[in-house]
Amino acid sequence: MQAQATPSAGQVALGNTEQTAVQPLSAERLSALIGPQSVLPLLLVAAAFVAITVVAILWATGPTYQVLYSNLSDADGGAIIAELDRRAVPYEFGAGGQTIMVPSEMVHSLRLQLAEQGLPKGGKVGFELLDNQAFGVSQFAEQVNFQRGLEGELARSVESLGPVSAARVHLAMAKPSVFVQQRVPSKASVVLNLFPGRTLSEGQVNAIIHMISSSVADLAAENVSVVDQRGELLSQPDTALAGLDGTQLKYTQKMEQSYQERVDNILAPLLGENNFRVQVSADVDFSAVEETSEAYAPNPEPGRAAVRSSQSSANFTGDEAVARGIPGALSNTAPNWAPSPIEQTTAEDDAAVAGEQLGNQTSLQRDSVFNFELDRNIRHVRHQMGGLRRLSVAVVVNNRPGVDDEGNPTSEAVPDEELQQITRLVQQAVGYSEQRGDRIEVINSPFTEVQPELIEPTPWWQQTFFINTATAAARYLLAAVLVLFAYRRLVKPVLRKFSSPPAPDRATTMAALSGDPAALAALGLDSAGDGGGSVGFKRVDKSASYQEQLDELRRIGRDDPRMIAMILRGWMKEDA
């Protein structure tokens, strides 16, 4: 007959013929599994110790991460992370997700590889924006994309300059119109973010302005504004240097430096390298002058004076006929008028006409003027800019070292004769011109000794190599400390528990106190007082007083506390 029963809590039915009851995990069963002779605690502690050791070793030998890129836009950061995932390169985030860090040994190679693919783009788009335009895009959208691409390309060009960290370019394109008065020219503004401690010279600012004005149609250089990250307008020249550009200032400084080097080269062998100081100030004329002169030859002697102008006047009045015409036979011949074939004139008519003509020729006046040019010389001269107008040179000579009567070091003034010689040498070196108004001053004065500021070398504990080495050593040391701590706190107590002898029960302990040889042998003692290195055990006489027994137990606890601890542990185990 088969026994059948309905499964209940704590029971599991197996087949139709047999049932097995599953008892719940009680405290008794748990204490039986984790008993004094069970190896389960030892296995758990060993597994935990191995896990801690492996984690510590992996952490100590793990890669050191360095910054690959920082302050990235969301688009650039996503593109770089996608590329790192494709290359299976581990990375971490820092600075709130704005910094990407990779293993230190891969930083430089990854930067070069990502730069080859155009990453990061810096949030700027160039003319590649026009590569993927949709079909049928409007003219306005196409113009906007072209302007954005042009701004991006100009910003990239400006960022290629050394002092510029980042740049933005804004363009206001020209608006064409058929009416001249309604035409609006192009304008541009540039915002520069410079590296810390770097500045742009006036020449570099002008180069940026001319580059942008040359890249945009109908954009004049005066319509380009350049601003830095501090809000300073770099394209406006300094009012104190109005009229002087960077080239003129550099030319003046170069000229002054050239004169100063001449004086240094001639005085250094005579006075010593650090025994004089020279300053040169050059007044350079940058005005553009064009001169035209007209010089006439000087007047000659009165008897040989040249005629500048001659004027003659002839006046004739009278009844007689005046000779006229060109001299010659033909002019002296009376005119012979041929008769008209239609109207024939008589001799009387011809005589009347001739008489009337000659009668009107009773007065004659002739005026003539002759002008002669004098010798003159016209000269047109265009003076070259950058001529030296005036030169001023100041030289200070240090006192000479000497020794006084007692042998102490002192300084002596330079004699006046030597100062005059130095003055003449300086005049010859700089090309002194009195007509030009040059001035050269040489004086003698003791120099104040200025201790040079010594740049202390970086301490060895602040050097990069030591910091990296110390960091790596600290990682290994911390890992070793962690493993040692786990061993002392987890493994060693378990091993001590398994290696220590079992605690004696209360009966054995009481028998040992009564002097039973078998009990003393079980506790590792003997009646002679030599038991496994323990102190001698003196039998306690039951007839002794309470105070004597208490003193004997105190002596045993003082001489062999291990035995007392073993006894107490056995009692506690029995009570539990």
Side-chain angles (χ1 to χ4, degrees):
M1 183 176 180
Q2 299 179 353
Q4 299 179 357
T6 303
S8 60
Q11 298 179 351
V12 178
L14 298 178
N16 297 324
T17 60
E18 188 176 0
Q19 295 179 352
T20 303
V22 178
Q23 299 295 332
L25 187 61
S26 60
E28 292 78 5
R29 294 192 61 191
L30 183 61
S31 61
L33 291 175
I34 311 177
Q37 303 299 329
S38 177
V39 297
L40 182 59
L42 181 61
L43 295 178
L44 294 177
V45 170
F49 179 73
V50 171
I52 292 174
T53 304
V54 171
V55 170
I57 293 175
L58 292 179
W59 175 77
T61 59
T64 303
Y65 286 84
Q66 290 186 359
V67 177
L68 179 64
Y69 292 110
S70 60
N71 298 326
L72 294 173
S73 62
D74 295 339
D76 289 341
I80 292 175
I81 290 176
E83 184 64 24
L84 294 179
D85 291 336
R86 189 181 68 83
R87 297 174 181 267
V89 176
Y91 60 87
E92 293 181 355
F93 294 101
Q98 296 183 354
T99 302
I100 300 178
M101 297 183 295
V102 296
S104 57
E105 63 272 7
M106 303 177 65
V107 171
H108 302 290
S109 60
L110 283 176
R111 285 179 180 175
L112 295 177
Q113 294 173 2
L114 294 176
E116 183 182 3
Q117 299 182 2
L119 295 175
K121 298 181 180 179
K124 301 179 179 64
V125 291
F127 285 134
E128 65 270 10
L129 185 64
L130 304 177
D131 296 338
N132 300 319
Q133 287 197 122
F135 179 76
V137 64
S138 63
Q139 184 178 3
F140 175 76
E142 183 178 359
Q143 183 64 26
V144 170
N145 291 337
F146 172 77
Q147 182 174 344
R148 289 180 57 194
L150 183 58
E151 291 176 351
E153 294 293 337
L154 292 175
R156 291 175 182 176
S157 300
V158 175
E159 288 179 355
S160 62
L161 299 178
V164 180
S165 172
R168 295 192 65 183
V169 179
H170 304 277
L171 298 177
M173 305 300 292
K175 296 181 180 180
S177 176
V178 294
F179 301 100
V180 178
Q181 296 181 353
Q182 295 182 1
R183 292 181 182 177
V184 179
S186 300
K187 296 182 180 181
S189 58
V190 184
V191 181
L192 302 178
N193 188 5
L194 305 180
F195 285 106
R198 303 292 299 274
T199 57
L200 287 176
S201 63
E202 186 177 354
Q204 291 174 322
V205 175
N206 292 332
I208 295 175
I209 293 175
H210 285 82
M211 181 195 69
I212 294 178
S213 63
S214 302
S215 303
V216 182
D218 297 335
L219 179 59
E222 56 269 13
N223 292 333
V224 180
S225 301
V226 182
V227 184
D228 62 359
Q229 72 270 22
R230 296 184 298 271
E232 297 181 359
L233 183 62
L234 303 179
S235 56
Q236 181 179 3
D238 191 0
T239 55
L241 301 176
L244 294 179
D245 56 8
T247 305
Q248 295 176 355
L249 294 177
K250 288 182 179 180
Y251 177 78
T252 304
Q253 295 174 358
K254 187 176 180 180
M255 178 180 292
E256 293 175 351
Q257 184 179 2
S258 176
Y259 283 113
Q260 185 173 350
E261 289 178 354
R262 294 182 187 180
V263 178
D264 290 340
N265 294 335
I266 198 172
L267 295 183
L270 301 176
L271 304 176
E273 194 69 30
N274 297 321
N275 291 327
F276 66 94
R277 294 292 184 270
V278 180
Q279 288 294 329
V280 179
S281 176
D283 185 6
V284 183
D285 186 10
F286 291 104
S287 58
V289 179
E290 293 186 4
E291 180 182 355
T292 302
S293 61
E294 183 177 359
Y296 291 90
N299 293 327
E301 298 178 359
R304 302 175 55 186
V307 178
R308 171 68 186 274
S309 178
S310 175
Q311 181 177 3
S312 61
S313 178
N315 190 3
F316 177 79
T317 304
D319 295 337
E320 298 181 357
V322 181
R324 294 178 178 275
I326 300 174
L330 184 59
S331 61
N332 295 327
T333 302
N336 185 13
W337 292 281
S340 175
I342 300 176
E343 297 180 357
Q344 295 292 334
T345 59
T346 60
E348 291 79 5
D349 295 333
D350 295 336
V353 173
E356 183 180 356
Q357 291 177 353
L358 293 175
N360 295 332
Q361 297 291 334
T362 57
S363 176
L364 177 64
Q365 183 176 358
R366 178 181 297 174
D367 295 330
S368 61
V369 178
F370 298 94
N371 294 324
F372 303 94
E373 293 294 336
L374 299 179
D375 295 338
R376 63 174 181 172
N377 184 14
I378 301 177
R379 184 182 180 185
H380 181 77
V381 179
R382 182 177 182 180
H383 296 274
Q384 185 68 25
M385 292 189 302
L388 182 60
R389 184 182 301 166
R390 184 182 178 185
L391 187 66
S392 300
V393 182
V395 181
V396 181
V397 181
N398 190 16
N399 288 349
R400 289 182 174 179
V403 180
D404 56 7
D405 298 337
E406 298 179 356
N408 297 324
T410 183
S411 60
E412 299 178 355
V414 179
D416 295 338
E417 295 80 5
E418 188 170 349
L419 291 179
Q420 294 178 1
Q421 293 179 0
I422 294 174
T423 303
R424 290 193 294 269
L425 286 176
V426 174
Q427 290 178 354
Q428 296 297 326
V430 300
Y432 175 79
S433 176
E434 186 176 358
Q435 297 178 355
R436 198 169 51 196
D438 296 347
R439 295 198 59 182
I440 296 178
E441 190 74 23
V442 180
I443 65 173
N444 173 226
S445 177
F447 287 0
T448 302
E449 295 184 1
V450 179
Q451 296 295 335
E453 184 179 357
L454 299 178
I455 301 177
E456 298 182 357
T458 304
W460 59 272
W461 62 83
Q462 295 182 1
Q463 296 179 3
T464 305
F465 173 77
F466 175 78
I467 293 176
N468 296 336
T469 305
T471 302
R475 291 164 67 95
Y476 285 104
L477 181 61
L478 185 59
V481 170
L482 181 61
V483 173
L484 181 61
F485 179 80
Y487 174 76
R488 293 180 63 89
R489 292 296 183 182
L490 296 178
V491 179
K492 192 174 181 178
V494 176
L495 294 178
R496 186 185 298 112
K497 178 180 180 181
F498 277 86
S499 61
S500 62
D505 53 2
R506 180 174 300 181
T508 305
T509 303
M510 297 304 296
L513 293 175
S514 301
D516 188 359
L520 292 174
L523 294 178
L525 302 172
D526 52 20
S527 59
D530 185 11
S534 300
V535 297
F537 180 79
K538 180 180 179 182
R539 181 177 180 179
V540 180
D541 190 4
K542 294 183 178 180
S543 61
S545 62
Y546 174 77
Q547 187 63 33
E548 293 177 353
Q549 295 181 5
L550 184 60
D551 293 341
E552 181 64 20
L553 290 177
R554 288 176 179 176
R555 185 189 66 81
I556 295 174
R558 183 173 61 254
D559 296 340
D560 193 0
R562 185 173 64 85
M563 179 181 176
I564 302 299
M566 189 183 304
I567 294 172
L568 295 177
R569 187 165 59 248
W571 291 354
M572 294 172 62
K573 182 177 179 182
E574 290 181 2
D575 294 340

